[in-house]
Amino acid sequence: MTAWQAYGGRGATGVWLVGARGAVAATAIAGAAALSAGLVRPTGCVTARREFASLDLPRFDDLVFGGHDIARTGLPERAERLAGDGVMPPGLPRLVREELLAAEKEIRPGVTGEGGPFDQREAVRGLTDDLVSFRRRWSLEHVVVLDVSSAAPAAARYPAHLSLPALRRALAAGENVLPDSSLYACAALRADCSYVDLTASAGLRLPALRELAAERGLPYAGSAARTGETLLRSVLAPMFAQRALSVRSWSGTRPDDGDGAVGGPPDRADQAGRADQADRADQADQVLFEGFLGTQMTLRLAWQGCEPALVAPLVLDLARLMALAERAGVQGPVPQLAFFFSDPLPGGPSAGEGPAPAEQYATLVEWAAGLRVPV
């Protein structure tokens, strides 16, 4: 029995997804419902490991989903397409259809600046109202906003990005200074929601929005979920360094996530949604390295990754961990969640430059174990 059926959301945790009709979101929502019903094992869910068993994390059936999107393809249809492409078991969308429909009813229209100028202050107000209504409608204890939309190109820089007062003045003057991803991040903070960025976009990277997070006393984390080639490199690079092997070149292909949820206008978003097979990608890496006495060697790896299946369990992990962190009074950036990201906020070392995943995992476990929720 899910939170939807058991108590109408009382005491539940809201999970609000930017890009809520995309492949990652549909996989996460269907997966949470399947886990709640005992239909699947929590493969890929870090927080289902024994190290986290004693923590007071929200259960999978405590999660109530909603979100923003500009795509028109509904969650049940998206899930059926994903099942057809082998991303989830073929019969699963039918078994969790009720939960998919419930989440679909909680999806609100997103915003995008690609159609031309619009009043960003009003847009943020509308997005904020959606989040506040969601919280009230389901009597939610906490709401975690997670951006799982398509990656966005680097945003233009404006002086208004440098401080919160400057940003407020710019928005009040009708200036369009925020990239789309930052509109959602701003709305999340204004609605007193913790925020997690799983995509490569501006989001909460703007100093003005980090000031807003500090003003509201909210935790945040990101960005860019570590999957695919970045995951591979983060594991292999420390191996070469620790064995004092000299890497001469490292070439490889990067998978295209193909999730197309929020990053473009509606027609393009639906076009991307019709190509869910793009979520599977063949990847090959070749590392040329030098050993003792200058011996030349080569490492070749080939694997097929499925981006929604890799990212979706991280969505559930981060929603649960961030909800617990907020309950424990954590504020500001949460660097202990760097284990999940290839480019952790705020401006931390990227994958391959910072601690190895094993060290980051140990840090994560120690931090989570130390969280204490006031009685």
Side-chain angles (χ1 to χ4, degrees), residues 112-131:
T112 176
E114 293 198 8
F118 63 100
D119 189 327
Q120 290 197 337
R121 184 167 67 165
E122 286 302 312
V124 170
R125 183 176 290 126
L127 297 173
T128 303
D129 289 345
D130 292 337
L131 286 161

Side-chain angles (χ1 to χ4, degrees), residues 169-192:
R169 287 194 298 269
L171 293 178
E175 298 179 28
N176 280 27
V177 295
L178 290 178
D180 291 350
S181 60
S182 296
L183 292 173
Y184 292 104
C186 184
L189 299 176
R190 281 169 49 89
D192 291 322

Side-chain angles (χ1 to χ4, degrees), residues 111-157:
V111 297
T112 176
E114 293 198 8
F118 63 100
D119 189 327
Q120 290 197 337
R121 184 167 67 165
E122 286 302 312
V124 170
R125 183 176 290 126
L127 297 173
T128 303
D129 289 345
D130 292 337
L131 286 161
V132 172
S133 297
F134 177 63
R135 185 197 297 270
R136 290 175 178 169
R137 191 160 49 252
W138 291 99
S139 302
L140 298 170
E141 182 181 6
H142 298 287
V143 176
V144 183
V145 175
L146 302 101
D147 190 343
V148 294
S149 63
S150 297
R157 296 183 179 182

Side-chain angles (χ1 to χ4, degrees), residues 16-27 29 66-79 81-82 100-101 103-110 148-149 258-262 266 269-270 272-274 276 279:
W16 190 268
L17 303 174
V18 180
R21 293 191 178 110
V24 168
T27 306
I29 295 168
H68 284 117
D69 210 326
I70 60 172
R72 293 183 291 265
T73 302
L75 281 172
E77 183 180 353
R78 176 76 76 217
R81 292 177 182 178
L82 290 167
L100 291 171
L101 287 172
E104 175 65 30
K105 290 179 181 178
E106 293 297 333
I107 297 177
R108 301 295 179 262
V148 294
S149 63
D259 194 29
V262 172
D270 270 359
R274 287 193 293 271
D276 286 319
D279 292 312

Side-chain angles (χ1 to χ4, degrees), residues 26-50:
T27 306
I29 295 168
L35 287 168
S36 300
L39 300 175
V40 297
R41 294 182 298 172
T43 305
C45 290
V46 174
T47 53
R49 290 174 58 91
R50 60 179 177 80

